[in-house]
Amino acid sequence: MTEIPTLTLNNGVTLPALGLGVYQSAPEETSAAVETALRAGYRHLDTAAAYGNEREVGQGIVASGVPREEIVVETKIWVSDYGRERTLHAVDKATAKLGVDVIDLLILHQPLADHFDRTIEAYLALEEVYAAGRVRAIGVSNFTVTHLDRLAERSTVVPAVNQVELHPYFRQPELQAVHAERGILTQAWSPIGGITFYPGWGEDRRSVLDDPELTGITASHGVSPAQVMLQWHLQQGRSAIPKSTNPDRIRQNIDLHLTLSADELARIDGLDTGRRTGPDPDRHMPPEMLDRVIPEA
Ligand SMILES: NC(=O)c1ccc[n+]([C@@H]2O[C@H](COP(=O)([O-])OP(=O)(O)OC[C@H]3O[C@@H](n4cnc5c(N)ncnc54)[C@H](OP(=O)(O)O)[C@@H]3O)[C@@H](O)[C@H]2O)c1
């Protein structure tokens, strides 16, 4: 296993640049995936209240035998729990399901474009639990520059991370530049383009894993397209949270023994289509998402 770089957040908290994502990992598979990952050397896990598997993440941590304090546990508050009281209670729910005393990194899952006041209230509640020492760092996800600006007008703590869709087909260079200016870590979701092949998302989707430019680079290094993309994130200073429930792929995704040349990095950058594959953060949130109840612990 290669040494994975450590990144330092704007409040001094550190985390390994690569973590295991567990979106769409069925609860019954999640615990085993987390255990496999931790035994393989991962020390960063990314879940969310809305994934319905926080409890199994906690079980996987215990089963791995890896000391809790070595692991960065990241989770997200779902939009139905936005608003001061609801968000404070959501922190209790997440903490209890994960089975931890302190959450390492707690972020808002989405901005609510139609209800931005509630988004702000939720973030101010995160500031409260941060001040109380119940979380080590706070941040956001799927925020655009406009959302970050609106948040900055009404909050005190600069988000430690913004977790956003980011893979070779959607690179968001302008947003990344704003993050760099403001000390916000860019964290890539769908870092190997998972969203480009989600089932049921349209017939004309091309998986970035099959991209000919990428597979050309892959061949010269004797590694997989996923490994090339993950190395691209690491060399550009991002955090990335690839998801897998397959033990071999979990291990492969942290086993990076390559260095990409400046030319190779530029060729991958050149695949950017400028079009997101996932949901528009400014969309009107459908009622089934807005009203979805996150169960009690
Ligand atoms: N904040 C948000 O709104 C948001 C949205 C989406 C995702 N996320 C986070 O980001 C994480 C990753 O995103 P993602 O799950 O959408 O996409 P991803 O990590 O880019 O891709 C995951 C997909 O790739 C497959 N895979 C994994 N390793 C592979 C390899 N080495 N070779 C070939 N295929 C491989 C996985 O299948 P197998 O499991 O079968 O290996 C899965 O189908 C999520 O799990 C979640 O934690 C956050």
Side-chain angles (χ1 to χ4, degrees):
M1 192 193 71
T2 334
E3 193 66 29
I4 296 301
T6 296
L7 299 171
T8 303
L9 302 177
N10 58 18
N11 66 350
V13 166
T14 58
L15 83 173
L18 282 188
L20 179 77
V22 296
Y23 176 44
Q24 297 185 324
S25 302
E28 60 280 9
E29 292 175 321
T30 303
S31 172
V34 165
E35 184 180 349
T36 302
L38 292 172
R39 287 178 186 234
Y42 287 73
R43 290 294 182 269
H44 173 201
L45 307 166
D46 178 70
T47 182
Y51 301 167
N53 56 16
E54 287 172 311
R55 202 180 306 279
E56 290 74 14
V57 168
Q59 289 165 354
I61 293 172
V62 172
S64 74
V66 173
R68 161 70 187 99
E69 60 275 15
E70 288 186 16
I71 305 164
V72 173
V73 178
E74 176 172 1
T75 193
K76 317 181 188 79
I77 305 284
W78 184 241
V79 295
S80 52
D81 279 335
Y82 286 6
R84 180 176 181 274
E85 299 304 324
R86 281 175 170 270
T87 302
L88 292 176
H89 183 55
V91 178
D92 295 337
K93 288 192 281 188
T95 305
K97 287 179 191 169
L98 289 162
V100 299
D101 296 325
V102 173
I103 294 171
D104 299 290
L105 179 53
L106 183 61
I107 66 179
L108 298 185
H109 206 141
Q110 306 263 346
L112 271 182
D114 296 345
H115 306 274
F116 207 74
D117 277 351
R118 261 160 67 192
T119 310
I120 301 278
E121 281 176 37
Y123 190 81
L124 296 181
L126 294 196
E127 289 191 348
E128 278 187 50
V129 291
Y130 176 56
R134 297 192 56 206
V135 302
R136 293 171 66 226
I138 61 174
V140 295
S141 176
N142 297 305
F143 273 43
T144 62
V145 175
T146 306
H147 300 135
L148 290 173
D149 287 342
R150 291 177 71 188
L151 182 68
E153 283 166 15
R154 311 235 331 247
S155 62
T156 313
V157 179
V158 176
V161 307
N162 187 13
Q163 184 185 113
V164 295
E165 178 182 348
L166 207 158
H167 45 74
Y169 286 168
F170 190 57
R171 232 166 35 82
Q172 310 215 55
E174 298 80 12
L175 180 62
Q176 289 197 63
V178 169
H179 289 166
E181 271 166 30
R182 299 185 190 181
I184 301 170
L185 176 67
T186 302
Q187 189 170 60
W189 65 252
S190 280
I192 56 170
I195 189 100
T196 61
F197 59 95
Y198 280 178
W201 280 70
E203 297 302 310
D204 57 346
R205 288 289 174 91
R206 282 184 305 148
S207 167
V208 69
L209 284 167
D210 300 327
D211 188 277
E213 185 73 34
L214 203 67
T215 45
I217 296 172
T218 296
S220 63
H221 289 281
V223 295
S224 75
Q227 288 172 311
V228 167
M229 283 188 267
L230 292 169
Q231 184 64 23
W232 169 73
H233 287 294
L234 297 190
Q235 284 185 228
Q236 294 187 344
R238 288 183 290 274
S239 167
I241 43 171
K243 174 263 174 187
S244 183
T245 48
N246 174 295
D248 290 338
R249 290 194 284 272
I250 290 172
R251 286 189 279 268
Q252 181 197 119
N253 291 346
I254 202 174
D255 188 20
L256 306 177
H257 295 278
L258 65 154
T259 303
L260 298 167
S261 67
D263 174 60
E264 287 171 326
L265 292 171
R267 280 161 63 195
I268 301 171
D269 285 352
L271 298 176
D272 193 4
T273 64
R275 285 191 305 277
R276 67 176 75 247
T277 314
D280 177 354
D282 273 322
R283 76 195 184 287
H284 175 69
M285 191 69 68
E288 66 275 15
M289 295 180 83
L290 195 55
D291 300 333
R292 181 172 163 197
V293 175
I294 300 298
E296 295 298 320

